Amino acid sequence: MSNSDHTHCDVVVIGGGLQGLSSAYHLAKRGLSVTLLEAEYCGRHASGVNAGGVRSLGRHVAEIPISLMALDDYWHRMPEVVGHDCGFVGSGQLQLAENEAEMQVAAERVALLNSLGFHHEEVIDAAYVRKLVPSISPHVHGGIWAKRDGYALPFQTVVAFKHSASQLGAHIHEQTPVLKVESHGADWVVHTATQEFRCGHIVNTAGAWANGFARQLGEETPAKTNGLMLMVTQRVAPFVRPTLGALGRPLSFKQFDNGTVVIGGSLMCDADEVARCADANAAALYKSAQTVTDLFPHLQHVAINRVWAGVEAFMPDSIPVISPSSTVQGVTHAFGFSAHGFQLSPAIGRLVSELVCDGRASLDLHPFSITRFQESGDHPS
């Protein structure tokens, strides 16, 4: 292929989930020419099929500064950022403790955060829980409350960032899977079935498929691919305002204004990375439904209207890779968000743009280095 067939830009972003769209938005905002390549359509997998939790609550300590940046600088200011509120509702998030042992875990968690200078989580007792959620089962002992958290609508968020990135000049190509990347002098050439894109920098936000591109660069990680499920109920009368999780078992639970209830919480199922699809697992869904009816017995006879699944990359330490390549120049990775990347995504794009444009990020990203698996001896199997 001759040079006239190459499409030139400063940065090619691989993957049109929210990490990729946010990266494209921030990079274009910094004045770079950006092309984003998405294999299917933007938000098809983890970004479009997650529960939409805007959650600083319960995060790995290393993620908290990123989460608070996302909450303060983006989610509570979304109309100023992308011209749309993305369906954000500041409902607060509550992580339930169902026994005294879990209350002890809650107290130790919040004491640790306070010692590190973080005060966004607070322990609350059973009476406060009932004030927030009067319909909760009487066995609940208390929990951890994050009053500035909430939820948003993934589809609206994807559309808002896609539109804003495009308005800033980013070129977004859907139905354009990347086949391979290779260096060409000081540049990179990104190959698709119909075109080659030449750029100075690649941003790898390809989600469950990002590890494949890292492997091409000689830095495979122990990422695992799984399906991620959600289910939604028929409409019921309003009974809960906060978004709920649980300390002792997986749960992500919220009621929308239309009365439907969305139930998730890292509900895993098998995924086919090649076919790019996941199959719902009835047994896992039943277990999650049991958790919900334990907490809200009045929901026992409520029907499940719909179940869906997407494909996500999970890391063994449950935190993502946000890192320059350790083997080549001109590549930045952001993947492996392990079912909790939605809330982080506005800040991830900003941090990626800092790595690309400035050579360093404004937050400490060492815990997210792609080399940490070599450092820990946790090599791919």
Side-chain angles (χ1 to χ4, degrees):
M1 189 173 286
S2 66
N3 285 341
S4 62
D5 294 316
H6 287 281
T7 300
H8 296 262
C9 59
D10 294 322
V11 184
V12 167
V13 177
I14 304 176
L18 273 170
Q19 313 305 339
L21 291 168
S22 178
S23 296
Y25 165 81
H26 282 92
L27 288 162
K29 194 173 181 181
R30 294 287 298 264
L32 275 62
S33 58
V34 180
T35 296
L36 183 147
L37 305 176
E38 163 54 39
E40 296 175 71
Y41 57 85
C42 290
R44 164 62 185 90
H45 288 287
S47 293
V49 301
N50 68 85
V54 176
R55 175 179 64 82
S56 63
L57 176 64
R59 287 199 173 270
H60 189 292
V61 169
E63 286 185 341
I64 291 175
I66 304 175
S67 182
L68 295 179
M69 173 192 281
L71 195 65
D72 295 336
D73 293 353
Y74 296 97
W75 288 109
H76 282 274
R77 298 179 50 242
M78 273 302 187
E80 302 168 46
V81 177
V82 292
H84 195 286
D85 66 8
C86 298
F88 174 66
V89 175
S91 63
Q93 289 220 10
L94 173 59
Q95 197 171 33
L96 299 168
E98 299 182 69
N99 52 55
E100 283 301 324
E102 290 175 7
M103 282 297 291
Q104 181 63 32
V105 170
E108 291 172 359
R109 158 80 180 181
V110 173
L112 171 63
L113 295 191
N114 289 346
S115 74
L116 296 172
F118 300 119
H119 301 281
H120 59 291
E121 299 183 11
E122 61 178 310
V123 177
I124 60 174
D125 61 15
Y128 201 126
V129 169
R130 279 163 185 72
K131 180 181 177 182
L132 293 170
V133 191
S135 55
I136 198 75
S137 171
H139 78 273
V140 172
H141 282 56
I144 306 177
W145 173 236
K147 63 184 178 183
R148 299 189 72 245
D149 285 2
Y151 65 86
L153 299 178
F155 175 75
Q156 291 186 11
T157 308
V158 166
V159 171
F161 272 89
K162 179 182 176 183
H163 176 74
S164 294
S166 296
Q167 288 289 99
L168 288 168
H171 297 281
I172 297 173
H173 299 259
E174 298 179 298
Q175 301 296 326
T176 309
V178 173
L179 304 178
K180 68 175 181 177
V181 299
E182 61 181 1
S183 60
H184 194 283
D187 290 340
W188 287 94
V189 177
V190 180
H191 298 264
T192 73
T194 58
Q195 282 182 290
E196 294 177 359
F197 295 85
R198 187 188 291 266
C199 60
H201 204 108
I202 291 172
V203 171
N204 177 18
T205 54
W209 297 271
N211 199 39
F213 295 112
R215 188 181 304 122
Q216 292 183 29
L217 306 175
E219 51 185 352
E220 183 178 10
T221 74
K224 301 294 183 185
T225 300
N226 282 303
L228 194 63
M229 301 180 292
L230 285 174
M231 52 185 168
V232 63
T233 72
Q234 68 186 86
R235 297 183 182 190
V236 294
F239 67 95
V240 60
R241 170 69 174 172
T243 300
L244 301 183
L247 276 161
R249 43 185 169 171
L251 178 67
S252 172
F253 181 92
K254 68 180 65 67
Q255 184 176 32
F256 290 126
D257 289 342
N258 69 359
T260 60
V261 178
V262 174
I263 303 166
S266 296
L267 299 179
M268 305 274 203
C269 60
D270 291 334
D272 186 329
E273 191 174 329
V274 176
R276 308 180 73 89
C277 66
D279 293 322
N281 180 314
L285 292 171
Y286 176 81
K287 186 175 181 180
S288 184
Q290 184 64 57
T291 298
V292 170
T293 55
D294 285 349
L295 294 168
F296 298 99
H298 74 282
L299 297 180
Q300 287 181 10
H301 303 294
V302 171
I304 300 297
N305 274 1
R306 188 162 62 98
V307 173
W308 65 98
V311 183
E312 168 72 306
F314 292 80
M315 308 307 294
D317 54 7
S318 297
I319 62 173
V321 169
I322 313 164
S323 170
S325 169
S326 65
T327 58
V328 295
Q329 295 293 315
V331 175
T332 299
H333 300 289
F335 67 90
F337 286 85
S338 306
H340 55 259
F342 177 77
Q343 188 266 352
L344 301 177
S345 59
I348 297 299
R350 174 168 153 189
L351 295 168
V352 165
S353 72
E354 291 170 355
L355 290 173
V356 173
C357 297
D358 307 325
R360 61 186 300 273
S362 55
L363 296 178
D364 177 19
L365 297 182
H366 178 74
F368 310 100
S369 171
I370 197 167
T371 64
R372 71 183 187 268
F373 306 106
Q374 300 158 13
E375 295 167 357
S376 67
D378 193 355
H379 299 291
S381 56

